[in-house]
Amino acid sequence: MDFSSKLLENAVNEMSQLPGIGKRTALRLVLHLLKQPTPQTEALAESLQQMRAKVNFCDNCHNISDNPLCEICASHNRNERIVCVVEDIRDVMAIEATSQYRGHYHVLGGKISPMDGIGPMDLNINSLVNKVKEGRVDEIIFALSSTMEGDTTNFYVFRQIEAYKVTTSTIARGISVGDELEYADEVTLGRSIVNRIPFENSLKNS
Amino acid sequence: MDFSSKLLENAVNEMSQLPGIGKRTALRLVLHLLKQPTPQTEALAESLQQMRAKVNFCDNCHNISDNPLCEICASHNRNERIVCVVEDIRDVMAIEATSQYRGHYHVLGGKISPMDGIGPMDLNINSLVNKVKEGRVDEIIFALSSTMEGDTTNFYVFRQIEAYKVTTSTIARGISVGDELEYADEVTLGRSIVNRIPFENSLKNS
């Protein structure tokens, strides 16, 4: 791509570093900004700079937070002895949106993935193990993606904490609510039969 | 969407102002930046600010340029008496990439589109008409999108300049090179038959 302006080229190159944004999309976004009044670009640039410079992670659960403790960890209405282990803050937001969970979280910051060069030391695993060691947790709920990396991470964390007195559970895998049975994959359908629940329980959340 | 941090929320909101970027995509992009070293976010923000603050449009053709005259208008190897009228700078880049055109351009900056509140006065039409009035142009090539708005704009500009001595042409519409005839739409196929060209001409560019 030949650009008629170095400034434009720089902006497009930086924009196309973002995941899923190619050169063409980057050019479209940048030209859009050029058509808008200057304050919009200023606001975008400043919000990114502010966020990167001042962002803070909760000391307890590693969720993104403006204070040393995030709102969830600081709340008195939540059970700090139940900890849901998730991959990143998007998962916290997704679970919070269900309004079904009143415990704490622990954000690992990723999954163990040797292919991407991410090992256990790159994740917030030690602080979780310490919480368990110190007897501050009754139950650990594993809520990672159901992929090979997710399962590996679950298992790694499980091995670290199994010596201590703590209940471990994992979120239920099964057919999505509203899904047709015939289109479900075999593994999911198989698991949903093996891990069937008493019928009365299924009435509670509906 | 409930955010655990105001800084994060601001960044996501600003990012989702961009066309085609929803809240979820914006969150993914912003979290990606947070995982990268600080300089990457700095570079992105600065390149956008620099571009917005210092960007300049060519005095002659309204293409984006770092100098008062863009490289194309400043070049002595191009025919300034042939002017290709395009919608925006992406079209200039697309035509330049073909290496088939050695004339000048004129970037209108959009199409006449009453639905979007864009009238002739919002586009760089007057400066084009003046070029023609002053006798500085031999041929005007219309290369706008083949849509209702593009045709309207073509026709509006044509009416402004038809009183003056200037050749007008429009880029050929027809079946794309490599396309199967049976999948072409009727309008395109019809036009390509009506506006057929001598067979020898088709050998020149292949």
Side-chain angles (χ1 to χ4, degrees), chain B:
Chain B
M1 240 183 219
D2 275 350
F3 293 92
S4 56
S5 154
K6 199 75 193 160
L7 292 165
L8 180 70
E9 185 171 2
N10 281 347
V12 170
N13 283 343
E14 290 298 334
M15 201 65 129
S16 63
Q17 303 276 316
L18 294 171
I21 308 276
K23 289 261 165 133
R24 269 167 193 266
T25 308
L27 179 60
R28 190 165 54 84
L29 298 179
V30 166
L31 289 179
H32 169 84
L33 283 175
L34 275 182
K35 280 193 184 173
Q36 304 300 312
T38 312
Q40 185 175 338
T41 311
E42 284 294 328
L44 171 62
E46 266 169 37
S47 68
L48 291 176
Q49 284 171 323
Q50 289 275 328
M51 179 199 63
R52 196 65 188 87
K54 297 191 188 161
V55 80
N56 185 42
F57 293 90
C58 173
D59 292 339
N60 188 41
C61 72
H62 309 285
N63 192 3
I64 290 178
S65 164
D66 293 339
N67 304 312
L69 270 189
C70 75
E71 275 179 37
I72 294 170
C73 290
S75 165
H76 294 295
N77 291 324
R78 306 193 63 127
N79 186 350
E80 61 179 3
R81 300 194 65 82
I82 301 182
V83 174
C84 180
V85 179
V86 294
E87 199 185 315
D88 73 13
I89 80 133
R90 273 179 291 177
D91 303 323
V92 174
M93 289 168 70
I95 296 176
E96 282 299 288
T98 68
S99 313
Q100 297 282 335
Y101 180 66
R102 303 301 298 166
H104 276 205
Y105 293 93
H106 188 92
V107 180
L108 292 181
K111 290 173 290 195
I112 296 174
S113 173
M115 294 284 282
D116 303 316
I118 302 173
M121 290 306 130
D122 301 314
L123 306 178
N124 304 315
I125 292 179
N126 281 343
S127 54
L128 176 65
V129 174
N130 284 338
K131 269 187 223 172
V132 176
K133 266 189 197 170
E134 292 162 12
R136 288 159 53 200
V137 182
D138 289 333
E139 180 176 358
I140 294 278
I141 305 171
F142 290 111
L144 276 74
S145 320
S146 184
T147 59
M148 204 174 68
E149 289 84 6
D151 289 343
T152 306
T153 313
N154 281 342
F155 192 66
Y156 181 89
V157 176
F158 177 73
R159 291 299 295 268
Q160 302 275 309
I161 60 175
E162 63 177 339
Y164 307 97
K165 195 172 157 285
V166 65
T167 310
T168 49
S169 61
T170 177
I171 55 168
R173 308 293 179 185
I175 309 296
S176 296
V177 178
D179 258 16
E180 301 272 1
L181 223 66
E182 57 177 320
Y183 301 121
D185 67 290
E186 293 87 356
V187 180
T188 305
L189 190 54
R191 280 210 204 178
S192 75
I193 289 178
V194 172
N195 301 315
R196 62 193 176 278
I197 58 164
F199 184 69
E200 307 90 74
N201 291 9
S202 72
L203 302 174
K204 283 181 197 160
N205 295 321
S206 58

Side-chain angles (χ1 to χ4, degrees), chain A residues 144-155:
Chain A
L144 275 74
S145 319
S146 183
T147 58
M148 203 175 67
E149 288 85 6
D151 289 344
T152 307
T153 313
N154 281 342
F155 191 66

Side-chain angles (χ1 to χ4, degrees), chain A:
Chain A
M1 239 184 221
D2 274 350
F3 293 92
S4 56
S5 153
K6 199 76 194 157
L7 292 165
L8 180 71
E9 186 170 1
N10 281 346
V12 170
N13 282 342
E14 289 298 333
M15 202 65 129
S16 63
Q17 303 276 315
L18 294 171
I21 308 276
K23 287 263 164 133
R24 268 167 194 265
T25 309
L27 179 60
R28 189 165 55 86
L29 298 178
V30 165
L31 288 179
H32 170 85
L33 283 174
L34 275 182
K35 280 193 184 173
Q36 304 300 310
T38 312
Q40 185 175 337
T41 310
E42 284 293 328
L44 171 62
E46 266 169 37
S47 69
L48 291 176
Q49 283 170 322
Q50 289 275 326
M51 181 199 63
R52 195 66 188 86
K54 297 191 186 162
V55 80
N56 185 41
F57 293 89
C58 173
D59 293 339
N60 188 41
C61 73
H62 308 287
N63 192 2
I64 291 177
S65 164
D66 294 339
N67 304 312
L69 270 189
C70 74
E71 276 179 39
I72 295 170
C73 290
S75 165
H76 294 295
N77 292 323
R78 306 193 65 128
N79 186 349
E80 59 180 5
R81 300 195 64 83
I82 302 182
V83 173
C84 181
V85 179
V86 294
E87 198 184 315
D88 74 13
I89 81 133
R90 274 179 291 176
D91 304 321
V92 174
M93 291 168 68
I95 297 176
E96 282 298 287
T98 69
S99 312
Q100 297 281 336
Y101 180 66
R102 303 302 297 165
H104 276 204
Y105 293 93
H106 188 92
V107 180
L108 292 181
K111 290 173 290 194
I112 296 174
S113 174
M115 292 285 281
D116 303 315
I118 302 173
M121 291 305 128
D122 300 314
L123 307 177
N124 304 315
I125 293 178
N126 281 342
S127 54
L128 176 65
V129 174
N130 284 338
K131 270 187 223 172
V132 176
K133 266 188 196 169
E134 292 163 12
R136 288 158 55 200
V137 182
D138 289 333
E139 180 177 358
I140 295 279
I141 304 171
F142 291 111
L144 275 74
S145 319
S146 183
T147 58
M148 203 175 67
E149 288 85 6
D151 289 344
T152 307
T153 313
N154 281 342
F155 191 66
Y156 180 89
V157 177
F158 177 73
R159 291 299 295 269
Q160 303 275 308
I161 59 175
E162 64 177 339
Y164 307 97
K165 198 171 155 281
V166 65
T167 308
T168 49
S169 60
T170 176
I171 55 169
R173 309 293 179 185
I175 311 295
S176 295
V177 178
D179 256 18
E180 301 271 3
L181 222 65
E182 58 177 319
Y183 300 120
D185 66 290
E186 292 87 358
V187 181
T188 305
L189 190 54
R191 281 209 205 179
S192 76
I193 290 178
V194 172
N195 301 315
R196 62 194 177 277
I197 57 164
F199 184 67
E200 309 91 73
N201 292 10
S202 72
L203 302 174
K204 283 180 197 161
N205 295 322
S206 58

